[in-house]
Amino acid sequence: VPWRWPRSPRRSAAGCPPAGQVRAAFLRFFQERHGHRRLPSAPVRPRGDPRLLFVNAGMNQFKPIFLGTVHPRSELAQHRRVVNSQKCVRAGGKHNDLEDVGRDTYHHTFFEMLGNWSFGDYFKEEACSMAWELLTEVYEIPRDRLYVTYFGGDPTLGLSADEECRDVWLRLGVPSSHVLPFPLKDNFWEMGDTGPCGPCTEIHYDHVGGGRNAAALVNQGSPDVVEIWNLVFMQYSREVEGNLLPLPQHHVDTGMGLERLVTVLQNKRSNYDTDLFTPILDAIHKSCGAPRYHGLVGAADVGRVNMAYRVVADHVRTLCVCITDGIYPGFSGAELVLRRILRRAVRFSSEVLQAPPGLLASLVPTVVEVLGDAYPELTKNADQIMDIINENEAAFLSSLERGRRIIERTVQQMEPSTNFPAEVAWSLYGNLGFPLDLIDLMLEEKGISLDSAAFNKLALDDAKRKAGGPQAAQPENTNTHLDVHSLAQLRSSNVPATDDSPKYAYTLGQHGQYEFSPCRATVLMLYRDQCLQKEVGAGQHCGVILNRTNFYAEQGGQDSDQGYMIRLGQQDVLFPVESVHLCGGYVIHAVTAVETLRVGDQVQLFVDEAQRLACMTNHTATHLLNFALRHILGDSTEQRGSHVTAERLRFDFDTKGPVTVEQLQQVEQVVQDMIKRNEVVHMAEVPLTLAKRVQGLRAVDEGYPDPVRIVSLGVPVESVLTRDSEAAMQTSVELCCGTHLLQTGSVEDLAIISERQLVKGISRVIAVTGSQAKQAREVGQCLAMEVDSVSLRMKQRSTSIPEMQNLSKEVGQLTKVVSSTAMPQWQRKELQTILKALQRTANTAIKKLELQQAEKKAQSLLAKHCNQPVIIDTVPADSLSILMKVVNQLCDKSPGTSVLLLSPQASGEVLCACQVSKNCLPVFSAADWAVAVCTQMEGKAGGSPIVAKGSGNAKGMQGALTTALEFAHSKL
């Protein structure tokens, strides 16, 4: 009985099914009609896959099954037939649709992928039949509008056309004129450079129809004929060497974009005209009052109003889904991409649609209405989504207006036919958080180009500086490190030292956010090319000395702040502060002068708060780590150095020996306990002599100012200063000038991702905090499951040499991944120990199996060539290693015999191995024998007078056997 989808009365005037009904019908069809297990969508934040920014395909969560790394006892391993609708984001990384969104009517950053999977269950016949049934009988798509493609083969890979798939479609009644072969690039799917892969078959839909034959338009980029469903048949594995081996289990992985399917079923030509988007587009229109959306593109879209509608509608869906799944706009990785998406949407909303602030957040209830039934987590988190969007939008609108003024002003001052100055663009990008594409778009509107070469150089210099840490800013030394003469001149001129106490002026807000106090200052002196100057021209790099600053200068192992300053009364000119240094009591700000800067100028300072907060987090975490190391490894553990950046922290310390796995775990646990207790971080300046009396005080061997700053975790500074107090023995108390959190709970988590001995007696650990630590733990858990899976399969002790070799190869690849991936170091060490043992086990098993196989073959050949002085023959062998062992076994069992064996391979190669009896030396050489034989086969060989090996081409094998015999006879 044909399965029918229950159609609700909620249909459009044209009788088109709503998107929710289309999605539900897909899921129910496979679940009820074909026995698939329905799974919820995975979050768009990838779990344990550092190579992905976002989940970008339905198969991401099933990769362990395809790769064979799934734990046998896990729930994932029990799946045979699965169906779901997966939330996907393609923005950033390899699959990046961000720049195309809005320009056309079908690109999206967020989309839904409908998919059904078979893991070692059904294959081509059933998969194609189910797909055809769903499309033609359930969704009732006219058959004459559908075209199917199949893999047409690739002679270079030795792959023939997928005629099995073609014949399946023909049997299903698809006309031969609608069944089309295509090459590797169109119809062969690969997960990556190595791993599972296979031919695929795609189903395409002709929007025009009318009885025409549109076969010539398939895969030609025509908007009239589009792919709607891809069925991948995973039947091969691409090896490291590039060759393809059949998979032990065949899998089916299909993907159909819901947006495209709904476009077809609702008889539309654009995804944005379906009810997945029209409610959002209507809400945009009501909120901003711009002309209605008409689906225009290119030159027809005057003022890019329609493009703005599409950008905002697409991006707000992405924001809702990502924020719900725990990805918030931020400053690195997926968070940075989401920040750019939000800012792109804000820019189109405010500048093109002239929408009031708050438009994006006001669209959230509409998005929830459209997607909430399928993804109930959206409904649950709607208020949080709106708060986060509003907060980020408000911050960017302020920056956007300032950036627009800066661009306008800069363009007015530019000479005709010149490029936009890279320094200004870099300032916008680095200080106001302008995505580069927005800068390009705003300049494009004015017919101006950015000086890309100069901009890229600035970006490269910045990347080098960040990568190199404190030592990377060498080119700026002449502007930021005061020479002795300049210092003397400053003092003789009575220029006061910089008051940098405002760098500690921050508080915790009502909702737990850090609030940094503003700071105004006066330019006291400028420094350039080792000279003090009263004025510096536009475009020049210089050091700026102020009477006061809230910027943290690089010291105590903590990176300096970055940010910008503006001249009071001139809000639209930003002077980027690239680094900050302390020299002789003067704080020197490394600045690019966008305009002329003079002594006496009044400025306001803006610290990059995100970078500062990240440094504060990692510095407080460094103190926690210092205490934990002393607590676990003993009081003799002394700090030897540290470096704190926004990305991570590094800590060097004395150690009597290698730190064990158990000690690393214990250190992390001590830190986590202090984080959970959310200890108050007490800070106070005290006389140096008084501070040094504190029992248990942690201090490095360096000069400290007097008074000195004490940082105490959980215990007030007054308490640790009390005579005979042992309070500092039970917590972290350090002399430190750095900036810190006000409570330890904000660290959230700490993971030590590296530990090694620099020299004997000194170890270095590298750790990450917060979300980075959480991600490192997730990756570690996933890798542990993969290692566990390999271990279980190894214990089954396969008697097949290829299977054991594949296991050995898998262990080798896992070893590389474990060594190079950011994960808890204790777990890395554990997994490396296990993998080392597994590699030994695999190698031993392979050697044993090869010896057993060689012994059998040698016994057979010995019986065939009884008491012969020379044995020349062909024998099947899986590898040169086995062939050599057969030769060795023969010579061991018959000491006076010289042996040469050839082994033809399926690839057309012939392996050669030989050994000469010592009695025949030096007249008869194994190396010469092998060279003569392999040359006959157009191959190469080498070895010693006793043993040699080589290979050649199968076409010359018969001649090679004759050559081998003639060569031997000539020498004996």
Side-chain angles (χ1 to χ4, degrees):
V1 178
W3 190 92
R4 298 292 181 196
W5 57 329
R7 303 191 186 186
S8 74
R10 187 170 65 88
R11 296 168 70 82
S12 68
C16 299
Q21 190 174 311
V22 174
R23 183 196 300 110
F26 181 93
L27 298 171
R28 286 202 306 271
F29 173 78
F30 284 100
Q31 185 180 14
E32 298 172 10
R33 173 77 167 166
H34 294 288
H36 287 60
R37 181 174 183 183
R38 179 174 171 178
L39 295 182
S41 170
V44 292
R45 178 189 284 280
R47 287 187 59 82
D49 192 342
R51 292 158 289 198
L52 279 181
L53 289 172
F54 304 96
V55 166
N56 57 25
M59 54 74 63
N60 288 160
Q61 65 175 309
F62 304 119
K63 280 174 75 171
I65 298 178
F66 300 138
L67 295 170
T69 57
V70 63
H71 194 292
R73 294 196 297 271
S74 70
E75 184 181 8
L76 198 59
Q78 313 310 314
H79 296 327
R80 290 295 173 265
R81 297 181 174 209
V82 166
V83 64
N84 86 338
S85 178
Q86 174 62 49
K87 298 175 290 186
C88 298
V89 173
R90 288 189 179 171
K94 180 181 175 184
H95 298 288
N96 183 5
D97 290 346
L98 179 57
E99 299 310 314
D100 295 314
V101 171
R103 296 181 187 275
D104 54 40
T105 61
Y106 50 87
H107 273 100
H108 305 292
T109 50
F110 165 75
F111 63 96
E112 297 177 69
M113 185 70 85
L114 302 173
N116 61 290
W117 287 267
S118 165
F119 306 120
D121 189 348
Y122 60 80
F123 205 44
K124 297 178 184 178
E125 180 91 35
E126 297 90 336
C128 295
S129 177
M130 292 175 197
W132 194 248
E133 179 187 3
L134 177 65
L135 294 179
T136 62
E137 296 181 23
V138 177
Y139 291 138
E140 298 178 351
I141 296 175
R143 295 169 183 245
D144 63 352
R145 290 199 179 200
L146 296 174
Y147 295 80
V148 296
T149 65
Y150 67 94
F151 177 51
D154 191 313
T156 61
L157 290 174
L159 293 173
S160 57
D162 191 358
E163 295 176 355
E164 178 188 359
C165 177
R166 178 200 65 190
D167 293 344
V168 168
W169 287 119
L170 294 174
R171 285 197 298 275
L172 287 169
V174 184
S176 58
S177 60
H178 285 223
V179 182
L180 313 169
F182 279 90
L184 193 81
K185 71 181 182 68
D186 295 306
N187 278 80
F188 196 89
W189 185 91
E190 305 200 43
M191 186 182 292
D193 295 334
T194 60
C197 56
C200 63
T201 181
E202 296 175 343
I203 303 174
H204 296 249
Y205 175 79
D206 177 16
H207 278 286
V208 176
R212 71 170 184 164
N213 188 322
L217 298 177
V218 173
N219 277 338
Q220 298 305 310
S222 167
D224 294 335
V225 180
V226 297
E227 174 205 335
I228 57 172
W229 205 346
N230 187 12
L231 285 63
V232 178
F233 307 122
M234 294 194 195
Q235 60 188 95
Y236 301 108
S237 174
R238 186 175 290 282
E239 303 301 294
V240 176
E241 297 80 10
N243 57 310
L244 296 175
L245 294 179
L247 282 174
Q249 266 198 330
H250 290 173
H251 306 301
V252 175
D253 164 18
T254 87
M256 176 160 56
L258 175 68
E259 292 76 10
R260 282 196 184 182
L261 176 62
V262 173
T263 301
V264 169
L265 295 179
Q266 294 185 357
N267 198 28
K268 304 294 184 183
R269 295 300 299 271
S270 161
N271 297 352
Y272 291 93
D273 291 336
T274 69
D275 64 346
L276 286 167
F277 288 92
T278 50
I280 304 171
L281 296 170
D282 289 343
I284 295 171
H285 173 68
K286 289 174 185 173
S287 298
C288 70
R292 278 196 173 276
Y293 176 72
H294 292 294
L296 302 176
V297 295
D301 182 19
V302 179
R304 300 197 301 173
V305 171
N306 289 263
M307 179 179 177
Y309 266 103
R310 289 187 290 269
V311 167
V312 173
D314 171 89
H315 288 8
V316 75
R317 285 170 26 114
T318 305
L319 288 163
C320 289
V321 168
C322 287
I323 292 169
T324 293
D325 285 349
I327 302 174
Y328 305 145
F331 296 89
S332 64
E335 285 78 8
L336 177 59
V337 174
L338 194 66
R339 180 174 182 248
R340 288 174 177 163
I341 289 171
L342 184 142
R343 293 188 162 201
R344 190 168 186 254
V346 170
R347 191 254 167 158
F348 275 94
S349 167
S350 63
E351 292 205 344
V352 181
L353 297 177
Q354 299 293 307
L359 169 71
L360 279 180
S362 75
L363 300 175
V364 172
T366 309
V367 175
V368 171
E369 184 182 341
V370 174
L371 298 174
D373 288 346
Y375 310 109
E377 59 272 21
L378 285 169
T379 307
K380 180 182 175 184
N381 292 288
D383 289 342
Q384 181 196 26
I385 296 168
M386 287 190 282
D387 288 345
I388 290 172
I389 289 177
N390 272 332
E391 182 182 317
N392 281 272
E393 182 182 25
F396 184 52
L397 281 172
S398 170
S399 299
L400 191 67
E401 179 57 29
R402 182 177 295 168
R404 190 186 61 75
R405 289 202 309 269
I406 290 170
I407 289 177
E408 292 280 0
R409 194 165 177 273
T410 306
V411 169
Q412 288 171 10
Q413 295 174 352
M414 284 170 53
E415 296 291 331
S417 306
T418 55
N419 287 332
F420 191 82
E423 293 82 4
V424 178
W426 180 252
S427 173
L428 289 167
Y429 179 77
N431 297 313
L432 291 185
F434 259 58
L436 193 53
D437 66 296
L438 291 196
I439 298 173
D440 286 334
L441 281 170
M442 294 171 85
L443 294 178
E444 186 184 312
E445 291 170 357
K446 300 179 182 300
I448 295 171
S449 299
L450 172 63
D451 185 350
S452 298
F455 184 91
N456 291 336
K457 185 179 183 303
L458 289 171
L460 186 63
D461 291 345
D462 184 65
K464 284 179 180 176
R465 183 187 59 76
K466 286 179 177 175
Q471 305 305 318
Q474 293 303 324
E476 297 176 354
N477 282 353
T478 55
N479 296 330
T480 56
H481 291 268
L482 297 170
D483 64 285
V484 64
H485 304 292
S486 298
L487 274 169
Q489 190 178 341
L490 284 168
R491 288 166 183 154
S492 64
S493 302
N494 295 318
V495 175
T498 311
D499 171 19
D500 64 351
S501 60
K503 68 188 178 187
Y504 299 126
Y506 50 87
T507 57
L508 267 176
Q510 186 178 354
H511 301 292
Q513 80 281 9
Y514 280 81
E515 296 175 349
F516 296 84
S517 300
C519 180
R520 291 187 176 185
T522 302
V523 177
L524 300 182
M525 192 60 70
L526 301 167
Y527 185 68
R528 176 171 167 77
D529 297 332
Q530 295 186 314
C531 292
L532 296 176
Q533 300 182 10
K534 300 279 187 180
E535 182 178 301
V536 169
Q540 294 185 324
H541 298 282
C542 66
V544 179
I545 300 172
L546 306 169
N547 64 325
R548 64 199 303 266
T549 183
N550 58 348
F551 277 72
Y552 181 84
E554 177 191 317
Q555 58 183 316
Q558 179 179 326
D559 265 9
S560 74
D561 282 339
Q562 291 175 284
Y564 62 95
M565 59 178 71
I566 60 172
R567 196 185 276 118
L568 290 184
Q570 201 173 7
Q571 305 295 311
D572 54 349
V573 180
L574 275 67
F575 296 85
V577 177
E578 291 140 5
S579 61
V580 188
H581 303 267
L582 184 64
C583 190
Y586 298 101
V587 175
I588 302 100
H589 305 74
V591 165
T592 299
V594 179
E595 286 191 355
T596 301
L597 196 59
R598 299 179 179 86
V599 168
D601 282 347
Q602 303 292 303
V603 295
Q604 185 157 354
L605 308 177
F606 295 88
V607 169
D608 182 332
E609 295 181 5
Q611 191 224 13
R612 161 68 81 84
L613 186 55
C615 282
M616 287 162 54
T617 300
N618 287 340
H619 205 150
T620 301
T622 303
H623 284 215
L624 294 171
L625 180 63
N626 190 359
F627 172 78
L629 285 165
R630 180 186 62 175
H631 186 73
I632 298 302
L633 301 181
D635 288 338
S636 61
T637 306
E638 293 290 343
Q639 178 179 343
R640 288 293 181 182
S642 68
H643 184 215
V644 174
T645 70
E647 292 76 32
R648 64 180 193 175
L649 63 96
R650 190 195 75 211
F651 193 83
D652 301 340
F653 58 98
D654 286 334
T655 176
K656 293 179 180 176
V659 183
T660 66
V661 166
E662 292 74 23
Q663 288 171 330
L664 285 169
Q665 287 175 301
Q666 290 165 358
V667 167
E668 282 192 1
Q669 190 58 55
V670 170
V671 172
Q672 285 159 10
D673 289 344
M674 295 179 79
I675 293 171
K676 285 174 186 172
R677 290 199 298 271
N678 199 20
E679 305 275 20
V680 173
V681 180
H682 300 275
M683 292 168 275
E685 282 195 346
V686 300
L688 183 59
T689 52
L690 191 59
K692 287 194 170 181
R693 292 184 201 154
V694 175
Q695 294 186 54
L697 180 75
R698 310 300 285 172
V700 292
D701 186 18
E702 64 177 47
Y704 286 97
D706 190 5
V708 68
R709 193 171 176 82
I710 287 185
V711 178
S712 173
L713 304 187
V715 179
V717 173
E718 309 88 78
S719 299
V720 301
L721 290 174
T722 306
R723 187 175 292 276
D724 299 324
S725 169
E726 293 186 357
M729 304 293 286
Q730 309 304 319
T731 189
S732 167
V733 180
E734 294 192 35
L735 302 182
C736 181
C737 60
T739 55
H740 285 270
L741 297 172
L742 301 177
Q743 291 180 271
T744 60
S746 298
V747 177
E748 296 180 357
D749 192 10
L750 177 140
I752 297 170
I753 59 170
S754 172
E755 184 276 326
R756 64 186 179 91
Q757 281 205 315
L758 294 178
V759 293
K760 189 172 177 61
I762 299 180
S763 279
R764 167 172 290 177
V765 296
I766 293 172
V768 291
T769 58
S771 60
Q772 283 182 282
K774 181 183 177 184
Q775 185 178 4
R777 294 191 192 286
E778 288 179 359
V779 169
Q781 288 166 3
C782 290
L783 287 173
M785 288 176 66
E786 290 186 37
V787 172
D788 199 5
S789 172
V790 174
S791 185
L792 286 171
R793 283 180 280 144
M794 194 77 77
K795 286 174 184 175
Q796 293 167 3
R797 290 298 173 98
S798 170
T799 56
S800 161
I801 292 175
E803 281 184 21
M804 287 307 299
Q805 286 173 332
N806 281 337
L807 271 177
S808 175
K809 193 180 293 183
E810 197 174 329
V811 170
Q813 290 169 342
L814 261 178
T815 300
K816 287 180 183 176
V817 173
V818 166
S819 297
S820 61
T821 303
M823 62 186 292
Q825 180 68 6
W826 64 263
Q827 195 168 32
R828 189 195 319 277
K829 285 188 171 185
E830 277 190 348
L831 295 183
Q832 285 173 330
T833 301
I834 296 168
L835 287 166
K836 194 173 181 181
L838 288 175
Q839 194 69 73
R840 280 198 304 268
T841 302
N843 292 344
T844 302
I846 291 167
K847 189 174 180 181
K848 187 177 178 182
L849 289 169
E850 286 182 346
L851 281 171
Q852 289 172 355
Q853 194 178 105
E855 194 165 355
K856 286 180 184 176
K857 293 180 188 297
Q859 204 68 45
S860 173
L861 286 166
L862 206 56
K864 180 179 175 182
H865 302 276
C866 187
N867 298 322
Q868 295 292 321
V870 176
I871 296 176
I872 298 170
D873 209 335
T874 61
V875 62
D878 291 333
S879 66
L880 193 53
S881 171
I882 295 174
L883 189 65
M884 198 76 243
K885 286 182 173 67
V886 177
V887 170
N888 298 152
Q889 291 270 349
L890 274 170
C891 292
D892 288 346
K893 294 176 186 295
S894 180
T897 303
S898 296
V899 180
L900 183 143
L901 297 179
L902 299 180
S903 179
Q905 303 294 298
S907 62
E909 184 185 31
V910 176
L911 306 178
C912 171
C914 64
Q915 182 170 334
V916 169
S917 170
K918 290 181 181 178
N919 301 336
C920 303
L921 297 174
V923 178
F924 195 1
S925 163
D928 294 342
W929 198 13
V931 167
V933 171
C934 291
T935 301
Q936 181 68 34
M937 299 187 292
E938 300 178 351
K940 294 181 179 180
S944 70
I946 296 177
V947 293
K949 56 188 176 182
S951 64
N953 196 299
K955 293 177 182 176
M957 191 171 76
Q958 289 305 318
L961 289 169
T962 305
T963 299
L965 191 59
E966 288 174 353
F967 186 93
H969 285 160
S970 71
K971 300 296 180 182
L972 295 176

